[in-house]
Amino acid sequence: GDSVTQMEGPVTLSEEAFLTINCTYTATGYPSLFWYVQYPGEGLQLLLKATKADDKGSNKGFEATYRKETTSFHLEKGSVQVSDSAVYFCALSLGSSASKIIFGSGTRLSIRP
Amino acid sequence: GAVVSQHPSWVICKSGTSVKIECRSLDFQATTMFWYRQFPKQSLMLMATSNEGSKATYEQGVEKDKFLINHASLTLSTLTVTSAHPEDSSFYICSASGAGGETQYFGPGTRLLVL
C-alpha cells in the first residue's frame, strides 16, 4: 500500500548548520508530496508541497524536490535557526491536500544556539 | 491563516466512560473535516473523513460504533470515544478544509489517557 518513510530523529544541529531530512515514498499513481511542520504546542502547518515530478517546493528557506526516479522528497535548508526546532512530517496525497493524507512518522529537529 | 481549535487539549477518564472531543474551524467554513490518531513516535493515521451534514467515512479497521463522529455544522465536528479503554489512549488530531479544498488546516490535538 501507499506509505511514507522518513529518517528517524531526533536530529540535533547547531545554528547555521545545513539540514537534510530524508523522505521516501511508495505510492500507486502519481501522488502530491508535502512537508508539514509542528511547532511545540501548535497544530501541523503545511510547510511546502510539490504536485508533480521535478517540482520544487520551497518556503521559509526550506526546499524539497519531487524525485520520481528515486521516489524521494528530501527536505533541505542551508542554514537552520533555533526557531526551526519542531517536528517535521513528510506526507503524500493521491488527490489535493484536502484528500486523504498519508504521513511519515515525523522527525524531531532541535537546533542549538 | 485559517485556525482550527480542539477542546479539550488533554483529558483523563476512567475505563468504560465516553469522551467527546470538539474540533472547530474558527475563521472559515469547513466543508470537510478529518480525524487522525497518533501513537507515540508513529505516524498520524487517518481514522475518518466527514462532510458537513452527512455520515462520516471511516478508514478500514476503525470501528464506527466505537468512534462516533458528528459534523453537524460548517464549523464544528465532534469525535466521541465510546466506552473508552486503556488501548484508546492516544493523541487525536483533527483537520479541516474549506470549500476550495486545497489545504487542510490542523488542530493542536487532544491527548486522551484512559485509566
Side-chain angles (χ1 to χ4, degrees):
Chain A
D2 303 326
S3 65
V4 176
T5 302
Q6 62 182 103
M7 64 188 290
E8 290 190 20
V11 174
T12 303
L13 296 172
S14 297
E15 203 166 21
E16 299 183 1
F18 184 86
L19 168 71
T20 299
I21 300 178
N22 290 336
C23 171
T24 57
Y25 67 90
T26 302
T28 54
Y30 301 97
S32 295
L33 302 175
F34 308 89
W35 277 100
Y36 284 85
V37 58
Q38 186 174 31
Y39 298 104
E42 299 183 17
L44 272 73
Q45 303 173 24
L46 180 63
L47 180 61
L48 53 85
K49 69 178 182 181
T51 57
K52 62 183 186 295
D54 299 325
D55 268 3
K56 177 186 284 187
S58 61
N59 186 24
K60 299 182 180 181
F62 291 89
E63 294 183 339
T65 301
Y66 190 143
R67 301 288 189 196
K68 185 179 177 184
E69 62 276 12
T70 55
T71 62
S72 65
F73 193 54
H74 305 321
L75 182 68
E76 297 181 336
K77 187 174 184 179
S79 176
V80 293
Q81 305 300 313
V82 173
S83 57
D84 294 327
S85 299
V87 181
Y88 292 82
F89 293 89
C90 186
L92 70 82
S93 171
L94 289 171
S96 70
S97 63
S99 303
K100 176 180 177 178
I101 297 178
I102 297 171
F103 288 90
S105 56
T107 302
R108 183 174 298 279
L109 174 65
S110 295
I111 306 301
R112 296 188 297 254
Chain B
V3 178
V4 175
S5 70
Q6 284 185 239
H7 177 79
S9 56
W10 59 270
V11 57
I12 301 173
C13 69
K14 293 182 179 180
S15 185
T17 61
S18 294
V19 176
K20 180 183 286 187
I21 302 170
E22 294 185 348
C23 176
R24 293 182 184 272
S25 57
L26 298 185
D27 51 4
F28 69 102
Q29 293 186 326
T31 52
T32 306
M33 285 187 166
F34 304 82
W35 286 96
Y36 296 84
R37 182 174 180 178
Q38 185 181 26
F39 292 103
K41 299 184 179 181
Q42 295 188 27
S43 300
L44 280 75
M45 301 298 293
L46 180 64
M47 299 174 65
T49 303
S50 71
N51 293 294
E52 185 266 340
S54 60
K55 290 184 178 180
T57 301
Y58 289 81
E59 293 299 302
Q60 190 173 8
V62 177
E63 300 176 59
K64 59 181 67 176
D65 294 329
K66 173 77 171 174
F67 299 100
L68 301 179
I69 292 172
N70 183 283
H71 189 173
S73 79
L74 285 171
T75 59
L76 173 65
S77 176
T78 60
L79 168 67
T80 301
V81 183
T82 62
S83 186
H85 289 96
E87 58 265 30
D88 299 324
S89 299
S90 191
F91 194 52
Y92 293 89
I93 301 171
C94 74
S95 70
S97 65
E102 285 301 313
T103 301
Q104 285 188 36
Y105 300 96
F106 285 81
T110 296
R111 190 165 300 282
L112 170 64
L113 177 61
V114 183
L115 302 177

